[in-house]
């Protein structure tokens, strides 16, 4: 005899819309508890494809189905099964269907699945030479052309997807490929009003900077946007003197010459400083940093900083620049 759970999952395929709606809502509610997740995990071969089929239906059914899949995908074993079953391709196809009403939820599902190595490989299409990078290019374009509106920011979680894929070398190389120009598009979102977008941009840049030894030139190709994205969050609150700003490019000097809102998220500041550290480990990176008066910006920013972990990140960069000060440049002072 079928168990109650098997019967419930069977109702997901019911021809009766009210029955189907009631069943998917119950399944969704079950995924909100650890016990429910464990029970459904035992029937994942039925639950996952049954829920996936409902993503293309009306919102009253597709929304709870997507929410259930998001909850299930938080379990790495179940997430891996979704990747095996082609869930990333399905989500990407659904994402760009006209009048899709679950864009935000599909992107959140991609966030969870891209935390898995297999999910990253599937999302960057690493095994397909002709299609390689197409999904990511679509996501970046949507991330950079969508914005806050009355319906909400449907693609803001793409920033988290980009952070996830750049944790792997293959993902970093894709984003850094100068022919695709993806990094420049992503960096330009650093001035977004969305904290989540900002965090996604800073985390993606930081991850890409792990390739600085071999890809410094590609990183510096975006310097017009890269240095503001990294330095403005850690520049402190002071209005800079004309003497300081005269040694900076316009994109930095114009902002630092006026009063501005501080970057409140300490994680954002830490990621920016870690990226600067990775860049300045390279001699050419240090030269580029000096050329925009970066050490002075860090000095002023450090004086305003109160968070101990962020101060530690400043000091890490400062110690590196002190070591390199035998070039004749003045060093950053990070102590009273």
């Amino acid at each position: 005899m079928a168990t109650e759970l098997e019967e419930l999952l069977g109702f997901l395929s019911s021809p009766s819309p009210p029955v189907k709606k009631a069943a998917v809502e119950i399944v969704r509610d079950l995924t909100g508890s650890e016990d429910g997740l464990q029970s459904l995990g035992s029937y994942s071969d039925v639950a996952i494809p049954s829920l996936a089929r409902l993503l293309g239906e009306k919102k009253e059914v597709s929304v709870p189905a997507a929410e259930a899949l998001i909850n299930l995908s938080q379990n790495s074993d179940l997430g891996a099964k979704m990747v095996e079953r082609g869930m990333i391709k399905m989500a990407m196809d659904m994402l760009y269907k006209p009048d899709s009403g679950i864009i935000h939820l599909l992107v959140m599902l991609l966030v969870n699945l891209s935390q898995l190595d297999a999910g990253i490989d599937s999302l960057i299409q690493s095994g397909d030479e002709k299609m390689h990078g197409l999904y990511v290019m679509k996501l970046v374009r949507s991330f950079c052309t969508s914005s806050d509106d009355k319906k909400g920011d449907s693609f803001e979680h793409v920033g988290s997807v980009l952070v996830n894929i750049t944790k792997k070398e293959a993902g970093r190389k894709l984003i850094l490929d100068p022919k695709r120009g993806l990094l420049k598009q992503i960096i330009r979102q650093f001035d977004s009003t969305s904290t989540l977008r900002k965090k996604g941009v800073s985390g993606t840049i930081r991850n890409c900077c792990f390739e600085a030894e071999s890809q410094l030139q590609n990183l510096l190709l975006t310097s017009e946007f890269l240095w503001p994205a990294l330095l403005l969050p850690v520049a402190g609150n002071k209005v800079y003197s004309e003497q300081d700003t005269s040694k900076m490019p316009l994109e930095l000097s114009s902002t630092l010459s006026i009063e501005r809102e501080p970057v409140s998220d300490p994680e954002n500041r830490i990621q920016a400083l870690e990226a600067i550290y990775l860049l300045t480990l390279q001699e050419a990176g240090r030269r580029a940093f000096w050329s925009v008066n970066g050490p002075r910006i860090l000095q002023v920013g450090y004086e305003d900083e109160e968070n101990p972990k962020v101060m530690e990140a400043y000091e890490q960069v400062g110690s590196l620049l002190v070591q390199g000060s035998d070039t004749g440049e003045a060093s950053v002072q990070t102590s009273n």
Side-chain angles (χ1 to χ4, degrees), residues 65-83:
E67 289 171 342
L69 287 167
I70 290 167
N71 290 341
L72 289 168
S73 67
Q74 292 176 33
N75 176 291
S76 58
D77 290 336
L78 297 178
K81 287 186 177 181
M82 290 185 196
V83 174

Side-chain angles (χ1 to χ4, degrees), residues 48-313:
I48 290 172
S50 296
L51 289 167
R53 280 193 293 270
L54 301 181
L55 294 177
E57 301 217 3
K58 293 180 180 179
K59 283 186 73 173
E60 61 184 16
V61 170
S62 63
V63 168
E67 289 171 342
L69 287 167
I70 290 167
N71 290 341
L72 289 168
S73 67
Q74 292 176 33
N75 176 291
S76 58
D77 290 336
L78 297 178
K81 287 186 177 181
M82 290 185 196
V83 174
E84 285 174 18
R85 288 183 169 274
M87 185 64 74
I88 284 178
K89 182 183 186 307
M90 186 181 300
M92 288 299 300
D93 289 345
M94 294 293 304
L95 203 55
Y96 292 100
K97 278 193 172 179
D99 303 320
S100 175
I102 54 170
I103 290 174
H104 182 70
L105 295 171
L106 290 170
V107 174
M108 289 181 69
L109 179 59
L110 290 174
V111 172
N112 287 352
L113 296 180
S114 62
Q115 292 182 40
L116 305 167
D117 284 351
I120 294 173
D121 289 339
S122 179
L123 192 56
I124 67 177
Q125 298 158 289
S126 57
D128 190 334
E129 284 187 24
K130 290 183 179 179
M131 303 295 285
H132 177 60
L134 182 62
Y135 288 163
V136 175
M137 290 174 72
K138 281 186 171 184
L139 288 172
V140 169
R141 184 170 65 243
S142 298
F143 181 62
C144 297
T145 55
S146 63
S147 59
D148 297 297
D149 56 34
K150 291 179 181 177
K151 296 179 182 177
D153 189 352
S154 298
F155 286 96
E156 66 176 350
H157 284 280
V158 169
S160 302
V161 175
L162 296 172
V163 171
N164 288 342
I165 68 170
T166 53
K167 287 177 181 176
K168 279 193 76 173
E169 183 182 1
R172 294 193 292 270
K173 287 185 174 179
L174 174 61
I175 297 298
L176 284 167
D177 183 350
K179 293 177 183 176
R180 298 178 190 267
L182 297 177
L183 183 62
K184 184 179 287 189
Q185 295 177 56
I186 295 164
I187 291 176
R188 294 174 76 169
Q189 288 294 304
F190 86 94
D191 58 356
S192 168
T193 57
S194 164
T195 301
L196 191 58
R197 280 176 172 264
K198 284 178 179 288
K199 192 174 290 188
V201 171
S202 63
T204 301
I205 296 171
R206 174 218 180 240
N207 288 348
C208 285
C209 285
F210 278 103
E211 298 296 316
E213 185 175 359
S214 60
Q215 299 239 31
L216 184 64
Q217 201 56 45
N218 288 339
L219 283 159
L220 294 181
L221 280 173
T222 65
S223 58
E224 178 185 353
F225 307 103
L226 179 67
W227 291 125
L230 295 179
L231 286 167
L232 292 178
V234 297
N237 304 330
K238 293 186 178 71
V239 174
Y240 282 62
S241 69
E242 189 176 336
Q243 182 182 359
D244 286 337
T245 57
S246 66
K247 300 170 186 175
M248 300 175 193
L250 182 63
E251 54 268 17
L252 280 170
S253 63
S254 59
T255 304
L256 295 178
S257 300
I258 58 175
E259 290 188 12
R260 58 201 177 277
E261 286 290 320
V263 173
S264 57
D265 184 4
E267 186 180 346
N268 191 302
R269 301 199 298 281
I270 289 172
Q271 288 178 333
L273 288 162
E274 288 176 345
I276 292 168
Y277 178 80
L278 292 166
L279 289 169
T280 53
L281 278 172
Q282 310 304 315
E283 186 180 344
R286 286 195 296 277
R287 287 200 302 269
F289 187 64
W290 283 104
S291 73
V292 297
N293 208 12
R296 175 58 182 162
I297 294 173
L298 291 195
Q299 184 181 30
V300 173
Y302 183 81
E303 290 168 358
D304 284 344
E305 187 56 60
E306 296 179 354
N307 184 294
K309 289 186 177 179
V310 183
M311 291 177 76
E312 193 176 315

Side-chain angles (χ1 to χ4, degrees), residues 5 30-44 72 75 78:
L5 194 50
L30 280 173
T31 64
S33 71
E34 195 60 43
D35 288 344
L37 277 174
Q38 193 169 349
S39 298
L40 283 166
S42 302
Y43 295 94
S44 60
L72 289 168
N75 176 291
L78 297 178

Side-chain angles (χ1 to χ4, degrees), residues 12 20-28 51 54 60-61 64-65:
L12 293 176
K20 189 186 296 182
K21 179 177 180 293
V24 73
E25 287 175 349
I26 294 170
V27 171
R28 186 266 316 276
L51 289 167
L54 301 181
E60 61 184 16
V61 170

